[in-house]
Amino acid sequence: MAENTNDSAVLETEEELTSYSTETNAGAGTGTSAIEPGYGTGRRKEAVARVRLVPGSGTWTVNGHTLEEYFPSRLQQREVNSPIVLLKLEGKFDAIVLVEGGGTTGQAGAIRLGVARALNAIDRDANRATLKKAGFLTRDARAVERKKAGLHKARRAPQFSKR
């Protein structure tokens, strides 16, 4: 019985994550932040994102593509947009993003940090406490550990045989 309730809870959260769309929140911003241009740089793993926020209607441009084209995964779209949603500023800023290096997950994390830093730069008094509490202004320092000499990978040693 307990397994069924856990399975249904997991299915519900997966469904919520995959059914998210940016159109449902467009134009619903009620945040109290200043609306002016801002810039932020975000880094995650090997990815570097340069984010420019300008007052607008909420459109995203990532390396010349829309957000949905560049990140087909709804989970990554949600991660990238999370600082704006947290501050209730949906539909108030257009985001122009240049991102390079790393994979899609690293790029999404880098863009999220860049957006949070840009929002922080725009209105430090209104946004900083909320962004800091949510952990959006902290750079995730985790990176791939370097390979060591005499090992297959960073820590994977060759198989040992006694005889």
Side-chain angles (χ1 to χ4, degrees), residues 146-160:
R146 79 170 192 88
K147 183 191 177 297
K148 309 322 185 282
L151 301 180
H152 289 302
K153 292 171 53 175
R155 299 185 181 203
R156 172 72 175 105
Q159 187 170 0
F160 175 74

Side-chain angles (χ1 to χ4, degrees), residues 18-92:
T18 56
S19 65
Y20 176 81
S21 73
T22 54
E23 290 82 25
T24 57
N25 294 330
T30 58
T32 57
S33 173
I35 308 299
E36 58 189 45
Y39 175 82
T41 302
R43 293 180 187 87
R44 169 89 169 91
K45 294 186 173 182
E46 291 293 313
V48 179
R50 295 175 291 172
V51 179
R52 198 172 79 204
L53 294 180
V54 293
S57 60
T59 59
W60 281 80
T61 307
V62 182
N63 288 355
H65 300 280
T66 65
L67 184 65
E68 291 77 19
E69 288 173 356
Y70 199 81
F71 292 117
S73 168
R74 300 268 189 215
L75 187 62
Q76 289 170 341
Q77 291 174 23
R78 183 180 219 170
E79 179 181 1
V80 163
N81 207 21
S82 56
I84 294 175
V85 172
L86 177 71
L87 295 173
K88 298 184 177 95
L89 296 173
E90 303 95 335
K92 304 257 178 145

Side-chain angles (χ1 to χ4, degrees), residues 104-145:
T104 55
T105 303
Q107 287 185 352
I111 293 171
R112 184 182 84 170
L113 179 60
V115 169
R117 284 181 173 175
L119 289 169
N120 186 41
I122 288 170
D123 193 352
R124 199 173 296 267
D125 297 333
N127 299 339
R128 184 168 178 81
T130 309
L131 291 170
K132 188 84 169 161
K133 187 174 182 182
F136 289 159
L137 294 177
T138 305
R139 188 210 190 278
D140 190 349
R142 293 177 297 169
V144 178
E145 190 175 341

